[in-house]
Structures are given as C-alpha cells and as structure tokens.
Amino acid sequence: MNILELHPTIPRQRRQIEMFLHTNGLRYDDVDYYAAIVDESSDEMIAGGGLKGSVIKCVAVADGHKGEAVANVIVSHLIAKANAEGCQCVKLYTKPDNRQLFESLSFRLIAESPNAILMETGVGGIEKYSEELRVKSEELSVKSEE
C-alpha cells in the first residue's frame, strides 16, 4: 500500500482531491499537504487526508474500502508528518459518527456539537494551552499590581 503526496497547488491534483472528497460526501478545505492511498490495480484513490499546520482535514475513505484499516494508515501517516514538522499535538474536526474510529487511534474529545467534534492526540494539547494561558494571566495580573 503506497502513500502518495498530492499537491493542492497543482490544479490537476487539486481537482483530483476535490473530486475524491465530493464523491465521499465532503468538500475540500485548505490544506498544505495531502496524502492519498491509491489502489495499485486500478490507480483509483481509495483513501486520503490532509494537513493544515497541526490540524488533520479532509479525511475520506472510498465506500468499497471502508473497514480495511486504510483510514488508520492515512491518519497515522498524517500524525507522523505533523510530528516531523514539530507539531506535538495534532487536532482534527470530524463528524460525531467518526468518534469511535478516532478514539481507537488515540484521539481524545475536546469539544462537540450535534454536527461536529474536535479531537486531539499527542503531547500537551488543550489542557497544556489552557494552563499556559492561566499562568500568563496571573503574571500580567501581578505586573499590573506593581
């Protein structure tokens, strides 16, 4: 199973990404990097996903390949790519129906609404960020009292 990089800045490759996502009920959102798994016998894209900074976006698996663990392969690849670029905590937005899939890939829920959930995996995350904000706020409070 080969993972190929598609370049969203190249019009033909961007259209390929957009068509794949559209076929799978999603729309393209701005990404810096897009990875795809292509069926070696038919040259058809069977799974794909993108990265924008430390956020995974536009993950889809073709209907005939759901349950084959190709989503795991793509998401693991995107996490490794984000980590290699210095992002220790990776986030994603997805439909609530996908929660169990991403929890099985060690993502944890941060926030949810009826139509979308925000999840993260890795070191630090929202709790660390919240703590950093609290400390900065306290430091500013002390400085303003001086």
Side-chain angles (χ1 to χ4, degrees):
M1 198 176 312
N2 293 330
I3 298 177
L4 306 174
E5 179 180 357
L6 296 178
H7 301 274
T9 56
I10 298 173
R12 186 178 58 78
Q13 292 186 14
R14 166 114 178 225
R15 282 192 302 276
Q16 186 179 5
I17 296 166
E18 289 172 339
M19 289 293 294
F20 175 72
L21 293 171
H22 178 73
T23 301
N24 290 285
L26 297 172
R27 62 178 156 63
Y28 177 81
D29 196 8
D30 185 37
V31 293
D32 299 321
Y33 175 82
Y34 199 84
I37 297 176
V38 177
D39 184 313
E40 295 168 3
S41 62
S42 67
D43 276 343
E44 288 185 45
M45 192 184 316
I46 61 173
L51 269 177
K52 180 72 174 179
S54 65
V55 179
I56 294 175
K57 297 180 171 187
C58 303
V59 176
V61 175
D63 283 338
H65 298 276
K66 292 183 176 164
E68 295 178 4
V70 290
N72 301 14
V73 173
I74 281 292
V75 171
S76 296
H77 173 78
L78 294 170
I79 291 169
K81 173 82 171 157
N83 291 164
E85 293 178 358
C87 301
Q88 295 181 335
C89 182
V90 180
K91 295 170 187 56
L92 66 82
Y93 296 93
T94 190
K95 297 174 184 175
D97 294 348
N98 296 329
R99 179 176 176 171
Q100 189 172 15
L101 166 69
F102 289 108
E103 284 178 338
S104 75
L105 296 171
S106 71
F107 279 84
R108 58 195 168 272
L109 182 68
I110 298 174
E112 63 184 315
S113 74
N115 298 321
I117 58 176
L118 172 61
M119 301 181 84
E120 69 179 358
T121 189
V123 179
I126 197 74
E127 289 178 13
K128 182 179 178 187
Y129 181 68
S130 296
E131 178 62 19
E132 289 171 359
L133 288 176
R134 187 189 62 73
V135 168
K136 286 180 183 178
S137 175
E138 288 174 0
E139 289 172 355
L140 289 173
S141 179
V142 169
K143 285 183 182 180
S144 68
E145 291 175 1
E146 294 176 347

